[in-house]
Amino acid sequence: FPSHDMLSSWINIHANCDLQSDLYKHLLSLDLKFYLNNRAAELTSRFVHDVGEVVVSLDISMRQAPQSLFQIVIYGYLLFQTSYNLAMAVVLVSAIHFLINRMLKNRILHSTSDKFDKLADTGNILNEAFSNIRVLKCFSAEDHEKNRFRRILNQLQQVSMRFSLYKHSEAP
């Protein structure tokens, strides 16, 4: 429905703006030592990518929650009507799945953090290369930069696959 898409867009846009506004206020409140330990390009990349990822996740969750709740109620009812023993087995397996997800929580959070770190590193390398393009060209350092960027992309691939593995193992 168009109204559903418009509502979703409105929520996403406002959530994105609110998150960026809050993050910006927080970043401005930090002391100078923080800025000496963190590169501007990395902060900018994190600002854009991390907030975007959060908003996309929020959108997916909001779209799936009503449908998932409805399915759980209907299928649960039908399952209990069909076979009480089978329904109890499903409840047991679901409880075990929930416990496993709880045990993996720290790994999931760590893998999420790793993914965002690598995305920030990627943005930082691009920013450094483009900002210093004259120096790179003068010293014929293009191959060095290509290799450097390729290494970070390989790391990003590995971290993203680990993140995806944990993310999809968490799905109900």
Side-chain angles (χ1 to χ4, degrees):
F1 298 110
S3 61
H4 180 265
D5 289 337
M6 287 303 296
L7 176 61
S8 178
S9 292
W10 184 88
I11 291 170
N12 286 341
I13 290 166
H14 281 79
N16 192 20
C17 289
D18 288 346
L19 283 170
Q20 285 185 336
S21 177
D22 290 346
L23 182 57
Y24 190 64
K25 286 177 196 173
H26 175 71
L27 287 171
L28 289 178
S29 72
L30 298 173
D31 61 2
L32 188 57
K33 183 179 180 185
F34 173 81
Y35 290 98
L36 295 174
N37 293 330
N38 292 282
R39 298 170 291 199
E42 181 179 347
L43 294 174
T44 302
S45 175
R46 285 180 163 282
F47 190 90
V48 173
H49 291 292
D50 294 10
V51 171
E53 288 280 332
V54 168
V55 171
V56 167
S57 296
L58 176 67
D59 181 50
I60 291 169
S61 297
M62 285 180 12
R63 287 177 187 260
Q64 291 178 350
Q67 179 183 359
S68 296
L69 183 61
F70 180 73
Q71 287 175 341
I72 288 170
V73 170
I74 296 299
Y75 292 141
Y77 173 77
L78 291 174
L79 186 59
F80 273 100
Q81 292 299 316
T82 304
S83 169
Y84 181 79
N85 290 336
L86 182 60
M88 293 311 293
V90 168
V91 169
L92 178 66
V93 168
S94 296
I96 291 169
H97 185 263
F98 177 78
L99 291 173
I100 290 171
N101 281 337
R102 279 293 176 221
M103 292 180 343
L104 291 176
K105 180 181 175 184
N106 287 337
R107 287 185 182 167
I108 293 168
L109 291 174
H110 182 70
S111 115
T112 303
S113 177
D114 285 350
K115 181 181 175 188
F116 288 146
D117 287 345
K118 294 305 171 196
L119 282 170
D121 289 345
T122 304
N124 190 53
I125 287 174
L126 288 172
N127 187 48
E128 286 177 3
F130 296 150
S131 297
N132 299 312
I133 194 69
R134 290 185 187 131
V135 175
L136 287 174
K137 295 281 186 187
C138 283
F139 290 100
S140 299
E142 293 96 332
D143 287 339
H144 171 73
E145 283 301 313
K146 287 178 199 173
N147 292 333
R148 184 174 161 216
F149 191 68
R150 185 39 102 192
R151 279 193 304 275
I152 202 72
L153 284 180
N154 288 340
Q155 292 171 0
L156 177 60
Q157 277 181 326
Q158 292 171 358
V159 168
S160 294
M161 287 305 297
R162 192 174 325 116
F163 172 79
S164 182
L165 174 71
Y166 288 133
K167 179 181 178 186
H168 294 295
S169 71
E170 184 182 32

